[in-house]
Amino acid sequence: MTNHGAVLTALADPTRRAIFERLASSPSAVGDLARQLPVSRPAVSQHLKVLKSAGLVTDHADGTRRIYSVDSAGVGAIRDYFEQFWQQSLARFKAAASQPTREDT
Amino acid sequence: MTTQVQETSVTTQTVVDAPIDHAFRVFTDGIGSWWDPGHHILEAELAEMVFEPRVGGHIIDRGTDGSECRWARVLAYDPPSRVCFSWDINLRWQLETDPAKTSEIEVTFTEDGPQRTRVVLTHSHLDRHGEGWEAMRDAVGSGWTLDRFAEVAARGTRDG
């Protein structure tokens, strides 16, 4: 179950976004990610923790390594996306369509 | 504005301080006045948007280089109360040509007083976009989605 606010916060950080994008193309271990990005191993671990608690990333053991991948379980992600998309869009629509009420002046 | 989520659809609504005719017109004919100009799948920058006011018409994005993208088919057009259109974009942000794999958006306009209109938008059949929901992995990996997420997050998650 993804938490909406947590998802947004997790992806607001450019490094976490970069990590998430890497994981979207291929599941990786912490070390793989640290090699690919200008970030230390502990920093990668910290970012993964945030992504995981937001429900965006999941992990499993592979021998002694822990492999992280994007959690695609459920409809949550796409619904979250469109929910946010249409909320933003309708807010813009409301602003464009609303007319000043003359009685208020 | 409130939002509720069902199994494979999302519903969002808002109330506009304008008569129903005006609200409908701004949503359709005036789509370019409120649509986020960063939201398109053209190669070029978005120059204009056209909402063809008839069933069988399209919502068309035109780029500054003259390119066009017909990303929605108008499925219902009943001014001033209802409009439906398809979402012919797949989760990789490419045009989807198979209607069986597209989702649908219904927008209803209801008078809520002479100067107020309630607008309810439902985006349904979201499940048609995925072989399972696996395709979302690619979608969330694309820049458009994440940039949007980031932008939204930066602005805070107010629900208007």
Side-chain angles (χ1 to χ4, degrees), chain B residues 42-48 62-67:
Chain B
L42 295 163
E43 297 272 323
E45 301 237 324
L46 183 63
E48 64 164 348
R62 289 216 176 96
T64 48
D65 61 353
S67 59

Side-chain angles (χ1 to χ4, degrees), chain A residues 7-28:
Chain A
V7 167
L8 295 177
T9 308
L11 290 174
D13 180 90
T15 306
R16 276 200 291 277
R17 224 152 60 226
I19 290 173
F20 189 64
E21 285 173 7
R22 303 272 161 161
L23 294 179
S25 50
S26 70
S28 316

Side-chain angles (χ1 to χ4, degrees), chain B residues 2-88:
Chain B
T2 58
T3 299
Q4 60 177 180
V5 177
Q6 287 156 5
E7 192 55 23
T8 60
S9 69
V10 173
T11 296
T12 303
Q13 57 176 300
T14 190
V15 174
V16 174
D17 293 322
I20 187 168
D21 291 341
H22 180 79
F24 185 88
R25 201 161 52 242
V26 171
F27 194 95
T28 54
D29 189 42
I31 190 168
S33 69
W34 58 270
W35 192 267
D36 184 336
H39 264 148
H40 63 84
I41 56 173
L42 295 163
E43 297 272 323
E45 301 237 324
L46 183 63
E48 64 164 348
M49 293 179 76
V50 178
F51 196 118
E52 295 181 324
R54 60 174 189 276
V55 172
H58 293 88
I59 304 176
I60 306 164
D61 288 356
R62 289 216 176 96
T64 48
D65 61 353
S67 59
E68 271 192 6
C69 174
R70 295 168 178 249
W71 62 269
R73 288 163 287 127
V74 179
L75 305 171
Y77 189 81
D78 307 313
S81 58
R82 180 172 172 260
V83 66
C84 298
F85 53 94
S86 61
W87 182 273
D88 295 356

